[in-house]
Amino acid sequence: MYLRISKDDARTGLAVERQRSECEALIARRGWTLVETYVDNGVSAYARNVKRPAYDRMALDYEAGEFDAVVCWDADRLTRQPEQLERWIRVGESRGLVILTATEEIDLSTDNGRLFARIKSAVARAEVERKSARQKAQAAQARAAGKMPAGLRPFGFDQDGVTVRESEAVWLRECYRMILAGDSVRACVRKLNEKEVKTRLDGPWQAVTLKRALERPRNRGRIVPEAEFDTAVGILAARRTKAGRPARKAWLSGIIKCGVCGSGMLSHHGYYHCARKVNAPGVDPETRHVSINGEVAESKVSAFVYGFQKAEPPKAEPKPAVTASKLAAIEAEMSRVTELALLPGADVSVTGARLAELAAERDELDAQRGEELAAGAGLAALATLPDSGENALEWLEAWKALDSDKRREIVRSGYTVTVTKGGKGSKRVQVVPR
């Protein structure tokens, strides 16, 4: 059972409890067994970058086979994102998934069920976008009338939300510059706090707070040029890291791959181990996955990066703007098809199929743009190193002095690193340029 309400400022949970009672009644009428209840109280399903902890846990539990039906008050409680629905469809096609709500039953194992779910999700998305457009228009009207829009003053702007406050904007520009150069959000936070730059609430900066400030759309074209904003925000999205976690000492963690199963390897007590199967005592040697001394692996990768940069100078930076324009065109087409689906007499089989095609194209381009932005960040980080001439020692010292996130960006975007099962020492570490 999944329960969600977008806004609960008083944190009473009353709306969620109303959903719970109706959903429990549905389960009882069906004679089903309730396996688990997942609750996201005060969490929106509209924005792509908003994390829903209970939703994410439920998705993992379904993939693990913990349940075969989801009960929610309405389908839009589960998701307002067509691409999220497509993920449910992909994992549900193999063994079926029933979504039961207070008003309808959606069986994702059937073509009609999938079509209905796609139309329902697209309509819900369109409703939210219309609401957002109305709210933005109201805010613009308030600004035009000289009234203050609702909400706190955004960092970098005066109270009207339009006039740039230069004393703060200069620090946002510095953070954008650092991100484009390959620095992490945490490195930006350290700099702001060292310089005693305060937040709009006169407190110290935290990574999550700064990330939100940098991703704020109103900065685009006002604080920094549009191209710089788009690239920086894309880099932040492509990294897919938790903004508040501490810097990694083991900078290959998650990047270096197991040669047996291809999974990422994690650091533990100075060694990198396969995340799926640790090379533990008592395990049959034939089924063991790999592990390797962390210093051996990191030294091999560092030496390879130096040698490759010396032999092959960095190529021109990728152009994610082309991919971004293609994404914008697909988003516009999805909005147009959704509008057509709402017209009387519309052929929902045609519009539903077209929406599915567009969603797949968008996911593919999203992944491509993330790779392009990550590659650009890696090249920017490389540019901060001395020229890889004859003085290898100087270059390697500069490499070691780099922020661990910059080293990760360079390796993740430019190389694949695999630890094989056979061989000894650094020979087991295979580094291949992308």
Side-chain angles (χ1 to χ4, degrees), residues 123-429:
V123 171
R125 176 76 180 184
E127 289 175 351
V128 174
E129 288 177 348
R130 289 194 189 99
K131 180 180 177 181
S132 174
R134 288 196 301 269
Q135 291 173 339
K136 289 177 181 177
Q138 289 171 353
Q141 186 178 32
R143 286 193 292 269
K147 299 177 182 178
M148 187 190 83
L152 291 171
R153 176 185 70 81
F155 186 84
F157 293 87
D158 285 341
Q159 194 64 45
D160 61 4
V162 176
T163 306
V164 174
R165 183 171 292 193
E166 195 58 36
S167 61
E168 295 177 349
V170 66
W171 291 108
L172 286 177
R173 293 190 193 104
E174 174 63 12
C175 290
Y176 283 117
R177 184 197 66 75
M178 292 176 67
I179 295 297
L180 292 173
D183 282 300
S184 65
V185 174
R186 291 183 301 279
C188 297
V189 166
R190 287 195 296 271
K191 184 164 189 175
L192 291 178
N193 289 335
E194 286 171 2
K195 297 294 184 180
E196 298 184 350
V197 179
K198 301 297 183 181
T199 66
R200 61 187 177 180
L201 297 178
D202 200 34
W205 285 93
Q206 296 181 356
V208 173
T209 309
L210 179 59
K211 187 170 184 288
R212 288 174 182 165
L214 293 174
E215 292 176 338
R216 188 179 294 118
R218 78 173 67 236
N219 298 349
R220 188 174 186 265
R222 291 176 175 149
I223 301 293
V224 291
E226 293 180 359
E228 289 185 22
F229 175 87
D230 292 343
T231 303
V233 170
I235 289 171
L236 293 176
R239 286 174 179 170
R240 296 173 187 163
T241 57
K242 295 181 179 178
R245 69 164 174 79
R248 297 177 186 261
K249 292 182 179 179
W251 49 272
L252 287 177
S253 186
I255 297 176
I256 191 169
K257 304 297 182 182
C258 170
V260 175
C261 67
S263 297
M265 300 178 68
L266 305 178
S267 176
H268 184 64
H269 294 310
Y271 279 76
Y272 288 107
H273 300 279
C274 173
R276 291 189 62 185
K277 196 161 188 177
V278 175
N279 188 8
V283 178
D284 184 348
E286 294 302 317
T287 61
R288 287 181 183 176
H289 291 214
V290 298
S291 64
I292 193 167
N293 181 280
E295 187 175 347
V296 169
E298 290 167 6
S299 296
K300 172 67 176 285
V301 173
S302 299
F304 187 92
V305 172
Y306 167 75
F308 185 74
Q309 295 305 316
K310 183 177 179 181
E312 300 282 343
K315 298 178 182 178
E317 201 167 319
K319 303 295 182 184
V322 176
T323 308
S325 66
K326 293 179 181 178
L327 274 169
I330 287 179
E331 293 281 3
E333 177 67 5
M334 290 186 76
S335 296
R336 189 185 71 82
V337 174
T338 300
E339 292 291 342
L340 290 175
L342 298 174
L343 294 176
D347 188 341
V348 294
S349 64
V350 174
T351 52
R354 180 58 179 154
L355 283 172
E357 291 174 3
L358 290 169
E361 289 178 32
R362 181 182 56 190
D363 288 347
E364 185 176 339
L365 283 172
D366 251 335
Q368 179 182 328
R369 184 167 184 260
E371 291 173 1
E372 291 171 347
L373 290 167
L379 289 172
L382 273 173
T384 64
L385 292 168
D387 189 29
S388 54
E390 297 301 320
N391 195 339
L393 184 60
E394 179 187 353
W395 190 94
L396 289 171
E397 285 300 320
W399 169 261
K400 291 178 182 178
L402 273 182
D403 182 281
S404 63
D405 283 317
K406 282 191 175 182
R407 273 177 277 161
R408 286 177 60 79
E409 205 75 70
I410 290 169
V411 175
R412 177 168 48 193
S413 63
Y415 306 88
T416 57
V417 185
T418 307
V419 179
T420 62
K421 195 170 183 180
K424 294 183 178 180
S426 62
K427 292 182 179 180
R428 297 172 55 215
V429 183

